[in-house]
Amino acid sequence: MTTQTATTQSLPPGNFGLPFIGETIAFLRDKDFVNKRNEKYGSVFKTRLFGKPTIVFKGEKATQFILTNENKYFTSSWPRSIRILLGPLSLTIQTGHEHKQRRKLLAQAFKPRALSSYIETMEEITQKFLTSWEKQQYLSWYPQLRNYTFDIAFQLFVGLENGSQTQLRHLFETWSNGLFSIPISLPWTKFGRALNCRNKILNQLDQIIKERQNRSDPGNDALGTLMKAEDEEGNKLSVDELKDQILLLLFAGHETLTSGLTSFCMLMAQHPEILQKVREEQEQFSTSEPVTLESLKQMTYLEQILQEVLRLIPPVGGVFREVTEDCEFNGYFIPKGWNVLCQINQTHQEETVYPKPQTYNPERFNPEQPYNPGKTYNYIPFGGGMRECLGKEFARLEMKLFAAHLVRNYQWELVPNQDTELTTVPVPRPRDGLKVKFEKIR
Ligand code: HEM
């Protein structure tokens, strides 16, 4: 048997679809794309996505194999449209030693001391939005939550107040609409418009950075922290890199969180008995004292609730990697040059780990249960390994703080006759934007 034959025989089953684009369109449009193929081929299958042959995996073992073998067999890989729009100096694009070094540097903006210093601003912005929703009474919550996470990200990362009311809001929207598009840059294509917006956003960031350079201290928000940070050799980030890294943080710091918060609001409206239980937990905490990282840690039931939100509806459905060395998993050959896709959402649906996986059940994460999936590769809303989400603790803080304030003082119900079915690109959210009636608890 020649090597070629042996190789061909041990590739996973599956279908490449059309030349070049393969099955990309079905992948982006059909939310059951993976399910259908898992039923037909099993838990590992091959296809062609974004122009590349791709092997799609799910489950604890496969996920662990892929996420912990970064730089040995795998490296970061994103579709060309995303690579160009995020920029070459963005952490998600950087690889190897450079990635490791930069990650350390960026992590300074998310250390516990930095997180603690963000709480007061987060609380102020949360109160402002809650009061405005109370006045509106009827609202489409997803776009409002997007403004909320946008304002927090802009204020805490670059010191800009009310970001959602500025031109940046529109620029960001057009920019992020181009992330999953065909990378043809013409004035009327999605990608062309997004690229134009990237340049305008970078111009604004440039002005903000120049203004900071003229101060004796660039400040203690994420930008200020990154401007002061030095790597092991004493080098600082260049202005071009600062712009790409801040753009990434602004993006990563609001789209995923908006999805997570919207899912939380929807699931609580659909499970009033669980909402009641989390309200009872909140009664143990004083409302007159400021929230701290320590008090948030004590909200253990709220923690379970949020863990289960991110299990059932993970904001990031999966992560791509490029194969840099031929390797093998579970008897399947994984060729160099191909992509692998590690399915987060399907891993979270594993029936042997999560009985009745479609049911929302926070008891799965009860710390008194003998087996806690939250500590294994069966639970990967934030990815894992060397590329685990850098903003994980920031995201957990914002979600918990928001949820605590919301459930203590407010009630909401879903407006009838709306479509709460999820659309998934770029992040999961209810089709009709989650329409609710919103009131203060009297
Ligand atoms: C619920 C909210 C969030 C979820 C579910 C989430 C999920 C993820 C996932 C799955 C990855 C791994 C991507 C990969 O392996 O290729 C990731 C990476 C990343 N996330 Fe998050 N994220 C969230 C919030 C945030 C926030 C708030 C920030 C910043 C403030 C952030 C910044 C980043 C960055 C910079 C990376 C790239 C890390 C690297 O390549 O080393 N994320 N996130």
Side-chain angles (χ1 to χ4, degrees):
M1 198 185 284
T2 64
T3 314
Q4 183 58 42
T5 322
T7 300
T8 312
Q9 277 181 347
S10 50
L11 282 169
N15 186 346
F16 286 128
L18 296 170
F20 191 71
I21 62 161
E23 300 191 293
T24 312
I25 292 171
F27 173 76
L28 290 174
R29 291 203 180 143
D30 181 0
K31 71 179 175 47
D32 291 324
F33 176 88
V34 174
N35 258 342
K36 285 179 191 161
R37 283 153 185 82
N38 283 154
E39 271 169 29
K40 193 165 170 192
Y41 304 119
S43 65
V44 183
F45 66 90
K46 67 173 184 291
T47 176
R48 185 187 298 275
L49 300 175
F50 303 104
K52 268 207 159 187
T54 303
I55 304 183
V56 182
F57 290 93
K58 67 168 183 170
E60 182 187 24
K61 296 256 151 49
T63 307
Q64 184 166 7
F65 175 70
I66 294 167
L67 296 181
T68 58
N69 275 309
E70 176 97 16
N71 294 340
K72 187 172 176 196
Y73 300 132
F74 307 107
T75 190
S76 160
S77 165
W78 292 97
R80 205 171 120 76
S81 53
I82 296 189
R83 286 205 310 271
I84 296 173
L85 289 173
L86 280 176
L89 302 173
S90 168
L91 187 71
T92 46
I93 307 300
Q94 289 166 332
T95 55
H97 177 66
E98 187 184 33
H99 168 255
K100 222 183 207 169
Q101 222 187 25
R102 288 310 193 241
R103 209 181 137 96
K104 241 192 208 163
L105 215 136
L106 262 69
Q108 296 187 24
F110 301 105
K111 289 209 163 128
R113 210 152 62 105
L115 292 178
S116 286
S117 75
Y118 298 156
I119 290 181
E120 198 182 328
T121 305
M122 264 188 200
E123 282 201 287
E124 276 169 22
I125 297 176
T126 307
Q127 289 301 357
K128 192 183 86 184
F129 273 84
L130 289 171
T131 312
S132 107
W133 296 337
E134 184 190 337
K135 284 194 191 124
Q136 292 176 47
Q137 205 183 15
Y138 284 91
L139 50 118
S140 180
W141 219 346
Y142 177 78
Q144 295 279 340
L145 283 163
R146 215 165 161 205
N147 286 346
Y148 166 72
T149 57
F150 196 86
D151 277 8
I152 290 187
F154 269 78
Q155 178 128 13
L156 290 179
F157 298 166
V158 293
L160 192 86
E161 281 180 36
N162 301 321
S164 63
Q165 305 308 312
T166 68
Q167 192 212 10
L168 277 163
R169 178 90 206 78
H170 166 73
L171 292 177
F172 246 84
E173 198 154 334
T174 312
W175 174 80
S176 67
N177 281 341
L179 287 171
F180 286 97
S181 64
I182 299 163
I184 297 176
S185 180
L186 292 168
W188 59 88
T189 58
K190 254 190 187 178
F191 179 77
R193 284 199 301 268
L195 200 55
N196 183 27
C197 288
R198 170 181 153 86
N199 294 334
K200 288 184 177 158
I201 297 169
L202 292 189
N203 278 343
Q204 298 215 14
L205 291 180
D206 200 58
Q207 282 171 24
I208 295 174
I209 293 168
K210 291 232 166 80
E211 190 270 321
R212 296 286 180 102
Q213 283 172 329
N214 291 330
R215 293 192 203 165
S216 55
D217 180 347
N220 292 323
D221 56 12
L223 175 61
T225 306
L226 294 188
M227 286 177 74
K228 286 184 270 190
E230 289 179 358
D231 66 17
E232 285 140 6
E233 284 125 42
N235 301 314
K236 291 192 166 187
L237 295 178
S238 68
V239 172
D240 280 345
E241 179 159 357
L242 275 171
K243 287 191 277 184
D244 273 3
Q245 301 291 21
I246 287 288
L247 176 68
L248 168 67
L249 293 186
L250 291 170
F251 165 65
H254 87 280
E255 291 278 9
T256 46
L257 265 169
T258 308
S259 170
L261 292 178
T262 307
S263 302
F264 165 76
C265 296
M266 181 175 77
L267 288 163
M268 287 304 101
Q270 290 166 337
H271 296 84
E273 68 299 347
I274 294 175
L275 177 58
Q276 182 51 32
K277 220 172 138 189
V278 78
R279 279 201 174 117
E280 282 161 20
E281 182 184 63
Q282 286 303 312
E283 280 164 15
Q284 298 164 25
F285 297 92
S286 158
T287 46
S288 56
E289 283 175 27
V291 170
T292 60
L293 288 183
E294 199 40 52
S295 65
L296 289 172
K297 216 174 178 180
Q298 289 162 16
M299 299 173 188
T300 51
Y301 188 60
L302 181 55
E303 177 70 32
Q304 281 174 237
I305 293 222
L306 295 174
Q307 276 185 296
E308 175 67 348
V309 168
L310 297 182
R311 182 206 58 94
L312 188 61
I313 314 177
V316 178
V319 294
F320 283 95
R321 294 287 185 270
E322 184 182 330
V323 186
T324 52
E325 281 294 329
D326 285 351
C327 54
E328 184 237 298
F329 178 79
N330 249 3
Y332 287 124
F333 176 60
I334 308 174
K336 180 176 170 178
W338 285 34
N339 270 359
V340 290
L341 168 59
C342 183
Q343 283 283 319
I344 295 176
N345 42 19
Q346 296 301 323
T347 299
H348 288 182
Q349 291 291 314
E350 184 56 55
E351 210 152 2
T352 53
V353 182
Y354 304 108
K356 297 198 188 146
Q358 288 292 339
T359 308
Y360 178 73
N361 175 14
E363 287 311 310
R364 303 181 201 277
F365 295 99
N366 186 332
E368 282 162 25
Q369 298 266 4
Y371 174 73
N372 185 350
K375 294 193 165 33
T376 71
Y377 276 85
N378 280 309
Y379 184 73
I380 42 163
F382 294 104
M386 291 174 65
R387 288 197 179 265
E388 188 184 40
C389 177
L390 192 71
K392 177 178 167 184
E393 295 309 322
F394 181 96
R396 291 179 62 222
L397 166 66
E398 189 171 323
M399 287 187 78
K400 228 169 174 182
L401 186 140
F402 170 83
H405 281 285
L406 181 72
V407 305
R408 279 177 190 180
N409 300 314
Y410 295 90
Q411 58 195 12
W412 61 101
E413 58 188 79
L414 301 182
V415 171
N417 303 324
Q418 63 176 308
D419 190 352
T420 53
E421 182 82 7
L422 299 177
T423 151
T424 52
V425 177
V427 285
R429 59 189 189 281
R431 264 179 216 286
D432 282 352
L434 199 67
K435 294 180 187 152
V436 293
K437 181 177 181 205
F438 188 87
E439 292 167 302
K440 190 153 191 155
I441 300 173
R442 305 275 168 208

